[in-house]
Amino acid sequence: MTTSAGLATVLAVLLLGSADATAAAAEAPSVLVEFESPLASAQPLQGLLRRPERPGLLPAVVLLHGCSGQWRELDERWGKRLAAWGYVTLTVDRFGPRGISDTCTGGVPAATVHDAYRALSFLSRQSLVDPTRIAVVGFSQGGWLALLSVERGAIEVNATEKFRAAVAFYPRCLGIKGNMTVPTLIMVGELDDWTPAQECRNLAEGHDDDGISRQQGLGYPIELIVYPGAHHEFDVPQYRTPGRLLGHHLEFNAQVLDQSIDALRKFLYAIIGGQEKTQ
């Protein structure tokens, strides 16, 4: 039986943990930084960097936005949260320096496919970052780029620094062969009509775009979570009132957001470690 003293202790720990998370967020404001990019012009890439005030070398996360840009909003939603967990974060602006407004009606610009590694290189040079514990987390089109960045191929093989883990929120899973070089997590809504969950099921089960099974034992297995009742952009509060973009349904889902937060926190902790262990 739990005693009153025991309950008081549990409550105190919970309150302390909450206070620590709040303090960590307050200690890690976003700072606009510029970093290397071989663009036609001299304008470098830019991003928002958050650096928690914690002792020792810290794990880090590169955040990649979707086809509509909104990188500052992504930093507010996820950069702030990850920094509160003890991660250094860099939310990349893939569009602004290139004069791109959005890419929702076209494919991924070829110039952007190496951006995750440019961000990784920048983070690896930061004195407070452990270069062996950096993950990439992407959303929608950025999720596809995160997967592309860590599957075995020309991009990953030719990179000097390496990611340790990858997470993709509602990515398009077509075009990814699935021979992943690091632990990989995909989260998608069952009702997503823009980046269908079935495509990601096929990928996680080892089938390519044509339904051909890939050779067993290649790379790390892909962990897939499909959320029933969830649509595209389930983590974006802007869509508390459902919206449509290019004919696709967008809808926030608070319950699924909470579940995805828990899944992300546990996955990242297990692979690259964070501020505290989660149960």
Side-chain angles (χ1 to χ4, degrees), residues 45-92:
L45 283 180
Q46 63 183 9
L48 289 172
L49 180 70
R50 292 181 183 268
R51 295 175 285 199
E53 293 295 330
R54 292 288 184 266
L57 292 177
L58 299 178
V61 176
V62 171
L63 290 166
L64 302 176
H65 63 73
C67 70
S68 59
Q70 300 184 355
W71 59 292
R72 291 184 181 275
E73 291 83 353
L74 178 60
D75 176 70
E76 279 294 310
R77 292 200 318 274
W78 289 100
K80 184 180 293 185
R81 178 176 288 119
L82 286 161
W85 297 348
Y87 298 94
V88 177
T89 66
L90 177 57
T91 306
V92 181

Side-chain angles (χ1 to χ4, degrees), residues 16 18 30 33 50 55 61 66 71 74 82 85 106 130-131 142 151 178 184 201 209 229 243 246 264:
L16 180 59
S18 176
S30 62
V33 295
R50 292 181 183 268
V61 176
W71 59 292
L74 178 60
L82 286 161
W85 297 348
D130 182 347
E151 75 168 353
T184 301
R201 285 196 182 96
D209 299 350
L246 300 176
L264 177 65

Side-chain angles (χ1 to χ4, degrees), residues 191-209:
L191 302 181
D192 197 318
D193 64 1
W194 200 338
T195 55
Q198 188 56 46
E199 294 177 0
C200 296
R201 285 196 182 96
N202 292 340
L203 178 62
E205 291 169 2
H207 307 300
D208 66 14
D209 299 350

